[in-house]
């Protein structure tokens, strides 16, 4: 591959989990790697593509660190440096698409400061995989071309971004939430305050692209943290918008809408 010509570190998007959703280019990089580094179990199914001679190393995840010099000492950066200095071809696997939410940008910036060339091979995000698998119309030609991806594990802006998302929903946009289950009560409260219709469609997909994939189709007024936590295993990606509806059910996926309704009732 051209990326390896300068012994670049290759950051590969592994997609949502299903090896068949890995890009051809990503698969080639994995096969050619001498060392494969990863820190999230979601990518493990694609490791079967690795060469028998390749070293596969799971690296401890570290909390996000700021400040000059600190990022250079994270376990992943240290591991990349150690293996590359031996002249080995290093692949760093990332879940989903590396560009989504800036994960590879942070590490790439550090590698650049260290004088280490790098390249990124894109992957399919869980939201995109779910939208295509269930044929969700997340945009509508001539009416709404906006899709907003939000990671909602930690909300530090007093829900200001969620209020903006509510306004976009009013214009027909689709909002895709990642890691949002714990913050659903606050998100729903803000949506109600901003006048988002209770009947706005929601499709929540659990373990998109993984064995055991399941989904729920419901509406905003029926969403609830406890019900979803009990029935839909994480990770869950939520698609919310006036045009969202399931038009295809992937083979092997289970619909759990009735169980959510029972729990809510």
């Amino acid at each position: 591959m051209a990326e390896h010509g300068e012994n670049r570190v290759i950051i590969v998007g592994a997609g949502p989990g299903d090896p068949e959703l890995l890009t051809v280019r990503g698969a080639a990089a994995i096969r050619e790697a001498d060392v494969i580094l990863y820190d999230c179990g979601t990518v493990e199914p694609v490791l079967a593509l690795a060469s028998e001679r390749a070293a596969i190393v799971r690296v401890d995840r570290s909390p996000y660190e700021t400040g000059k010099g600190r990022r250079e000492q994270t376990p992943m950066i240290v591991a990349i440096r150690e293996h590359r200095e031996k002249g080995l071809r290093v692949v760093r696997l990332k879940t989903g698409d590396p560009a989504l939410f800036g994960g590879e940008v942070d590490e790439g910036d550090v590698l650049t400061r260290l004088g280490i060339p790098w390249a990124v091979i894109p992957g399919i995000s869980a939201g995109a995989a779910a939208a295509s698998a269930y044929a969700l119309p997340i945009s509508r030609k001539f009416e709404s071309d906006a899709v907003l991806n939000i990671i909602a594990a930690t909300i530090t802006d007093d829900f200001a971004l969620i209020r903006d998302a509510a306004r976009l929903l009013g214009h027909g946009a689709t909002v895709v939430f990642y890691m949002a289950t714990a913050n659903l009560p606050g998100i729903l409260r803000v949506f109600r305050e901003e006048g988002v219709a209770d009947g706005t469609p929601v499709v929540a997909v659990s373990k998109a692209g993984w064995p055991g994939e399941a989904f729920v189709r419901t509406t905003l007024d029926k969403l609830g943290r406890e019900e979803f936590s009990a029935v839909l295993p994480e990770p869950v990606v939520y698609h919310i918008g006036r045009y969202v509806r399931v038009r295809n059910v992937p083979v092997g996926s289970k619909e759990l809408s009735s169980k959510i309704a029972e729990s809510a009732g």
Side-chain angles (χ1 to χ4, degrees):
M1 291 178 61
E3 286 92 348
H4 278 309
E6 302 175 24
N7 192 20
R8 295 187 178 190
V9 173
I10 310 300
I11 301 171
V12 176
D18 185 348
E20 293 187 357
L21 295 179
L22 183 69
T23 66
V24 173
R25 197 171 192 180
I30 292 170
R31 292 191 190 97
E32 294 177 5
D34 298 315
V35 179
I36 299 173
L37 306 174
Y38 72 103
D39 59 6
C40 178
T42 305
V43 306
E44 289 179 348
V46 307
L47 295 175
L49 298 174
S51 165
E52 292 183 0
R53 61 173 171 73
I56 299 174
V57 182
R58 181 159 186 167
V59 179
D60 290 337
R61 302 191 83 168
S62 59
Y64 186 84
E65 298 181 59
T66 59
K68 187 175 181 180
R70 294 185 182 178
R71 293 287 289 166
E72 283 83 346
Q73 300 304 316
T74 61
M76 182 59 70
I77 295 298
V78 170
I80 289 173
R81 293 181 71 179
E82 288 179 349
H83 291 291
R84 187 181 175 278
E85 286 172 0
K86 297 175 183 177
L88 301 175
R89 292 179 292 185
V90 177
V91 161
R92 193 279 197 246
L93 283 182
K94 298 278 288 187
T95 185
D97 178 48
L100 193 60
F101 309 126
E104 111 289 350
V105 174
D106 297 331
E107 290 179 353
D109 287 344
V110 175
L111 294 176
T112 297
R113 289 200 300 270
L114 295 172
I116 298 174
W118 56 284
V120 179
I121 296 176
I124 298 174
S125 68
S132 293
Y134 293 85
L136 307 179
I138 57 176
S139 62
R140 194 171 184 89
K141 196 171 184 179
F142 306 123
E143 293 186 38
S144 175
D145 296 323
V147 179
L148 178 63
N149 292 288
I150 299 178
I151 188 165
T154 303
I155 296 177
T156 59
D157 61 356
D158 195 26
F159 291 88
L161 178 59
I162 305 304
R163 293 188 187 280
D164 289 340
R167 297 182 184 102
L168 288 174
L169 282 170
H171 292 286
T174 296
V175 178
V176 183
F177 281 115
Y178 296 78
M179 309 177 202
T181 302
N183 281 313
L184 273 181
I187 292 170
L188 296 176
R189 171 181 57 79
V190 170
F191 280 176
R192 286 193 296 270
E193 292 172 355
E194 296 296 328
V196 179
D198 285 345
T200 301
V202 178
V203 175
V205 179
S206 167
K207 296 187 175 181
W210 272 65
E213 181 176 322
F215 76 101
V216 166
R217 46 184 143 193
T218 185
T219 53
L220 272 182
D221 58 323
K222 296 176 182 177
L223 275 178
R225 175 185 173 187
E226 292 79 8
E227 290 78 14
F228 275 85
S229 297
V231 175
L232 276 182
E234 297 290 347
V236 178
V237 60
Y238 299 85
H239 293 77
I240 303 173
R242 70 172 65 156
Y243 304 117
V244 172
R245 69 182 189 279
V246 174
R247 297 185 295 182
N248 175 67
V249 176
V251 175
S253 179
K254 295 181 179 179
E255 181 168 8
L256 302 178
S257 303
S258 59
K259 290 188 177 182
I260 292 290
E262 291 170 5
S263 298

